Amino acid sequence: MFTLEGRRHRLCDGIDRREFLRVGGLGVAGLTLADLLRHQALGGTRTAPRRPKSVIYIVLSGGPSHIDTWDPKPEAPVEFRGEFASIPTQLPGVRFCELFPRQAAMLDKLALVRGVRSVENDHYLSEVYTGLPRSAGKRPAFGSVVSRLAATTHRSPMPPFVSLRERGGEQFEFENPHYAGAGHSAFRPYGDALQSLAPMKDLSRLEDRRALLAGFSNMQRKLDQQDSVAGLDRFQQQALEMITAPEVRQAFDIKAEPPATFERYQRGKYTHQADYKIMYDWDPKPFVLARRLVEAGVRVVTLQVGSWDHHSMPSQHIFKSYRHVLPVLDQNICALVSDLEERGLSDDVLVVVLGEFGRTPKIGSPYPGREHWADAGCVLLAGGGLRMGQVVGETDGRAERSTTGTVTFQNLMSTIYHVLDINPTTTLPDFNGRPQYLLENPQPIRELTG
């Protein structure tokens, strides 16, 4: 069963030509996949490397505590340092939380930025996805910028920007393309982007080979039997290639992965951020799927994992929650980095792990929790051709503020653009035709870029 613009049609009963011409509908103001490809063709004109680089962007939405993870302070007073011990890492003098043993053991292959400062101290994710706060106006998500500006030298049916999350409410939706153009929207396998494959609201629907793979195959066979393609322009034909191409089918066929892959990434549990007694299953499939997508040529893959907004409330307990979620996060991050390395993709794929801010260094009372803290978050990176095996920045003895200068989300986003071969001083015309810089501060993190 395929859904074309909200209607269902059995392919075995024949394809209605009017609906056929709208195949690949994205559900964004009537935009079709053919429209998306036209916009792509009008995008960047620069020459890219033979294999363009990609990024896997892992968002810990809600704001993880930096002092309980990557920036512990074992000498701080107990009301700051918390319940967890710290352990040494591969780098002399650098310590991580005891629940991060795998990352500690491979820090020579990672880079950590401490003391990252955000402008907004709330859960709006504008800085996370654009580098700029909401006060800078509605800016396109960096994945949409990449879709528009990053030209490739080879023709690929893969979408350049994939978001592995459903579209949120407008107030909290910061993966919009805005003036980058609707044709550069995120391709959402769990939301509106694959309407032509039938709605898939969660990971289990993506696993349904009868809904996805059989649908691809059946449609391709039907198209081969008819002359319907003859009247389509090249963009519509490319749209059809995208949804029927073997590369796309294979990339999304997560069941092609052997069981050992998922054992390596490991499953686990995590708690609801507002009630530590409510447990959810941690599923490694988004990590595995992200790796499959960048391997197939997707430029930007974003995902959100876990639940990280642990305040001081009767139903919340940050340390009980972290005892569940930190070990499985540790396992999945390291499995992903190792997976990419073994496939020869370390230099081609940048992995970024971050939240929108840190948490208050002083533990809340009387209930153990931490509040929002914009002055000193952490960002973990791996690969992408950046300089690994280092910690950039340092915070004071209570992890309250940076003692080595200010690193912002704009600096981080500029670093990502550097990896993806995009000039952060580029301008795009906004809806009024005025040129807007991608970033107001285009300086990358020099310790990483060299």
Side-chain angles (χ1 to χ4, degrees), residues 31-32 34 48 61 65 97 103 107 118 156 220 224 266 296 361 393 418:
L31 182 76
T32 67
S61 179
S65 169
C97 169
Q103 292 171 77
L107 187 53
S118 60
S156 170
Q220 183 65 73
D224 290 342
Q266 199 175 65
H418 168 86

Side-chain angles (χ1 to χ4, degrees), residues 41-54:
L42 296 174
T45 58
R46 302 173 337 177
T47 300
R50 183 179 58 85
R51 180 188 174 90
K53 292 189 177 182
S54 303

Side-chain angles (χ1 to χ4, degrees), residues 41-304:
L42 296 174
T45 58
R46 302 173 337 177
T47 300
R50 183 179 58 85
R51 180 188 174 90
K53 292 189 177 182
S54 303
V55 60
I56 297 175
Y57 201 66
I58 303 167
V59 178
L60 309 182
S61 179
S65 169
H66 58 296
I67 196 171
D68 295 308
T69 53
W70 296 288
D71 195 8
K73 301 295 181 180
E75 305 302 323
V78 65
E79 64 268 25
F80 286 82
R81 69 174 181 262
E83 294 186 4
F84 304 137
S86 65
I87 57 174
T89 69
Q90 280 283 332
L91 301 184
V94 178
R95 302 183 74 84
F96 279 2
C97 169
E98 63 177 319
L99 301 179
F100 278 172
R102 295 172 179 84
Q103 292 171 77
M106 67 183 306
L107 187 53
D108 57 323
K109 299 177 182 179
L110 308 172
L112 177 68
V113 184
R114 286 173 169 167
V116 178
R117 185 174 183 178
S118 60
V119 174
E120 295 180 319
N121 198 30
D122 61 28
H123 295 301
Y124 295 103
L125 295 170
S126 177
E127 286 184 272
V128 171
Y129 287 107
T130 74
L132 291 162
R134 288 175 298 150
S135 59
K138 293 184 177 181
R139 302 297 185 107
F142 83 95
S144 295
V145 172
V146 173
S147 174
R148 174 160 173 169
L149 298 181
T152 59
T153 57
H154 65 284
R155 190 164 176 261
S156 170
M158 299 302 299
F161 174 25
V162 174
S163 175
L164 299 182
R165 56 181 285 270
E166 290 191 37
R167 180 175 294 277
E170 187 62 29
Q171 187 180 19
F172 295 100
E173 180 53 64
F174 289 95
E175 289 192 278
N176 286 324
H178 294 302
Y179 53 79
H184 301 287
S185 300
F187 195 70
R188 298 177 187 267
Y190 308 144
D192 50 26
L194 289 188
Q195 287 188 34
S196 56
L197 304 180
M200 285 179 278
K201 299 183 181 299
D202 54 39
L203 287 168
S204 63
R205 295 297 299 274
L206 185 61
E207 283 190 274
D208 188 348
R209 295 169 68 95
R210 298 178 68 181
L212 181 64
L213 302 180
F216 276 131
S217 299
N218 290 342
M219 185 174 185
Q220 183 65 73
R221 284 196 297 270
K222 194 67 178 180
L223 295 178
D224 290 342
Q225 296 170 6
Q226 297 187 15
D227 63 353
S228 301
V229 178
L232 302 182
D233 70 16
R234 66 186 183 90
F235 293 105
Q236 291 168 323
Q237 291 187 43
Q238 188 178 351
L240 291 174
E241 289 177 17
M242 181 172 165
I243 32 181
T244 60
E247 301 98 303
V248 179
R249 295 201 304 272
Q250 292 164 9
F252 281 95
D253 182 13
I254 200 166
K255 281 198 169 183
E257 290 290 335
T261 298
F262 300 102
E263 294 171 7
R264 180 181 192 179
Y265 279 76
Q266 199 175 65
R267 298 177 183 272
K269 298 283 185 179
Y270 69 98
T271 70
H272 190 286
Q273 61 192 20
D275 190 339
Y276 70 89
K277 295 179 182 179
I278 299 176
M279 304 291 293
Y280 298 103
D281 291 325
W282 178 286
D283 195 334
K285 291 187 182 69
F287 289 84
V288 178
L289 180 56
R291 187 265 295 160
R292 292 181 65 86
L293 292 176
V294 296
E295 192 174 23
V298 176
R299 302 298 308 280
V300 175
V301 180
T302 63
L303 57 151
Q304 292 186 16

Side-chain angles (χ1 to χ4, degrees), residues 12-13 21 37 62 143 174 179 181 211 215 228 272 329 398 400:
C12 58
D13 295 332
L21 292 175
L37 296 167
F174 289 95
Y179 53 79
S228 301
H272 190 286
L329 177 67
R398 295 183 175 182
E400 292 177 313

